[in-house]
Amino acid sequence: MSASLSGFAYLIASVLFILALRGLSSPESARTGNMFGVAGMVVAVVATLADPGVLSFGMIVLAILIGGSIGTVVALKINMTALPQLVAAFHSLVGLAAVFVAAAAFHNPEAFAIGVPGRIMTASVIELSLGTAIGAVTFSGSVIAFAKLQGIMSGAPIVFSGQHKLNAAIGAVIAVLIVVLIFSQSGSVFWLLVLFSFLIGFLLIVPIGGADMPVVVSMLNSYSGWAAAGIGFTLSNPALIIVGALVGSSGAILSYIMCKGMNRSIVNVLLGGFGGVAAGPAAAGGAGDRGVKSGGAEDAAFLLSNAAKVIIVPGYGMAVAQAQHALREMADRLKAAGCEVRYAIHPVAGRMPGHMNVLLAEANVPYDEVFELEEINHEFATADVAYVIGANDVTNPAAKSDPKSPIYGMPVLDVEKAKAVLFIKRSMASGYAGVDNELFFRGNTMMLFGDAKKMTEEIVAALGS
């Protein structure tokens, strides 16, 4: 394929990727966006393979078969609740790929037309060193995020004395190593850069707790994009540069939106150690001596059957119990009886951006019934029932009233303003932020203790009878 034809193919692929990103901005167009993304990737891969410089087709086909087989098995077996850790795992692979490509380019620059060993073009050394550092940070940080989300390691912040100073020192060492590598082009300096970049990735993520994981996932997504863009420059591949920049910038914007949704800054997330997991099943902070009202499925069904407007607030508890289909059935029953049903989504509900939207879409919940916090918060005051299914910290009124609370200032859903609140939860345990939810103890709240799916199914049965 000629250079002009290859450039045109990459241009088409880039346009398709932009359309894919645009489509993924809304649940209604997400499927179409995915198809644009797939089409763009096919065009980009074919254009790359058609390059005259590509020779080892056998190895490439073998790699595609191995990777494609693994990806297919994972896609078929993965549960919807495991999507956050799957995304983190994918980010780690992107980062590791960037390191591998940079290493190959550094040790065999002739194959990449960027010079010879020891005399690589300065611009290329800068590009691959940045790609290496960002890729290594993405890999090790994503591994820690995966381990926290999968439960392999504790989701609580891991902090120690002098942690920030150590991170700052390692960051300074990485900057110095990049400068030294540019001038010396030493192999030992390159691998020291890889080592210290891996280390800083681990240290940046271990102090971040569970409540901040949605921000971490989107931030690592941004890192993976910039790593890909850096390697795109090394490979002189415009499609990779454009895609990397798209992913990097969109991930950064999403991180900003998530932080805004939590009333926090990226620096605060990285350095604050916020979001620890509660140590045990009992509520902390003396909550045990405060009474709560609890009920069963028939009590909840009675309140719901007499409601004219119900707002459903899904959270990670719904994802764990896989209750979205039962929830959809309950909503259908209510709507058939003339009740207005809406869904309220907090920006950080679940463990990754859009987690609740994906689960509701899987249950074929109509898109026009799903609203973000700023769109629906004013409607709780007019709702007869707020049905909270596993959403804890994002419904805690203490975020608005208690300056001493670690979540103070975080925008939350005004669930407590509804006439009645039905809160499904397994126990009185604290959420990821490790604080009691003041909503539990409000006079208009009825706790429904048990598995979210089973409880919702029992309510559906009670509504039917």
Side-chain angles (χ1 to χ4, degrees), residues 75-453:
L76 292 174
K77 289 183 173 293
I78 196 72
N79 294 323
M80 295 298 287
T81 50
L83 278 180
Q85 47 265 53
L86 177 66
V87 172
F90 283 165
H91 291 162
S92 72
L93 295 178
V94 174
L96 191 61
V99 174
F100 283 163
V101 172
F106 183 79
H107 290 288
N108 187 17
E110 298 101 326
F112 295 81
I114 58 175
V116 296
R119 292 198 300 275
I120 302 173
M121 292 185 291
T122 301
S124 297
V125 178
I126 295 173
E127 293 157 4
L128 68 86
S129 62
L130 290 175
T132 298
I134 299 173
V137 170
T138 303
F139 170 74
S140 54
S142 298
V143 167
I144 295 297
F146 171 83
K148 283 177 174 278
L149 291 167
Q150 187 66 16
I152 297 173
M153 65 183 294
S154 171
I158 300 174
V159 296
F160 52 85
S161 179
Q163 189 170 30
H164 300 329
K165 292 181 180 179
L166 176 61
N167 288 347
I170 295 175
V173 170
I174 290 173
V176 170
L177 286 173
I178 290 176
V179 174
V180 173
L181 181 64
I182 292 171
F183 289 100
S184 70
Q185 300 193 16
S186 165
S188 59
V189 174
F190 175 83
W191 289 109
L192 278 174
L193 174 62
V194 173
L195 177 64
F196 277 99
S197 298
F198 278 145
L199 181 60
I200 194 66
F202 285 120
L203 293 175
L204 282 175
I205 305 302
V206 291
I208 301 176
D212 281 334
M213 272 301 135
V215 179
V216 172
V217 171
S218 60
M219 181 183 66
L220 291 170
N221 178 54
S222 178
Y223 287 177
S224 67
W226 297 124
I231 297 306
F233 281 105
T234 301
L235 298 175
S236 298
N237 188 305
L240 193 55
I241 295 170
I242 293 172
V243 172
L246 285 172
V247 173
S249 56
S250 61
I253 293 170
L254 183 57
S255 298
Y256 169 78
I257 293 172
M258 301 296 285
C259 284
K260 185 178 178 182
M262 300 170 68
N263 195 32
R264 293 163 62 71
S265 67
I266 286 288
V267 174
N268 189 236
V269 170
L270 292 176
L271 304 181
F274 167 78
V277 176
D289 57 2
R290 289 191 283 174
V292 299
K293 291 192 301 184
S294 63
E298 292 186 358
D299 302 311
F302 176 78
L303 287 173
L304 289 167
S305 63
N306 288 282
K309 182 175 183 178
V310 173
I311 299 180
I312 299 171
V313 181
Y316 190 67
M318 181 190 76
V320 172
Q322 287 288 279
Q324 60 270 25
H325 295 283
L327 190 66
R328 165 69 193 273
E329 186 178 356
M330 184 189 81
D332 287 345
R333 295 260 179 142
L334 293 174
K335 288 188 291 183
C339 179
E340 178 186 354
V341 178
R342 295 192 168 198
Y343 297 79
I345 307 295
H346 191 280
V348 295
R351 291 187 174 182
M352 66 175 288
H355 197 183
M356 296 301 102
N357 301 76
V358 171
L359 292 173
L360 294 177
E362 182 194 20
N364 293 317
V365 170
Y367 298 131
D368 58 0
E369 295 178 5
V370 181
F371 297 88
E372 300 295 332
L373 178 147
E374 62 275 5
E375 298 174 316
I376 200 171
N377 231 10
H378 66 281
E379 294 192 27
F380 281 102
T382 62
D384 296 299
V385 176
Y387 188 84
V388 185
I389 180 165
N392 200 333
D393 296 325
V394 299
T395 62
N396 194 340
K400 298 178 287 185
S401 59
D402 185 4
K404 295 181 180 179
S405 174
I407 62 172
Y408 181 69
M410 182 179 85
V412 294
L413 293 162
D414 295 333
V415 174
E416 76 281 0
K417 293 182 179 180
K419 293 178 182 178
V421 178
L422 298 176
F423 204 120
I424 299 183
K425 206 171 186 298
R426 290 181 180 273
S427 69
M428 290 291 289
S430 304
Y432 279 131
V435 295
D436 298 321
N437 191 340
E438 294 299 320
L439 184 62
F440 299 165
F441 312 102
R442 296 293 177 95
N444 61 335
T445 298
M446 178 185 292
M447 300 298 297
L448 305 173
F449 293 111
D451 177 80
K453 181 180 180 181

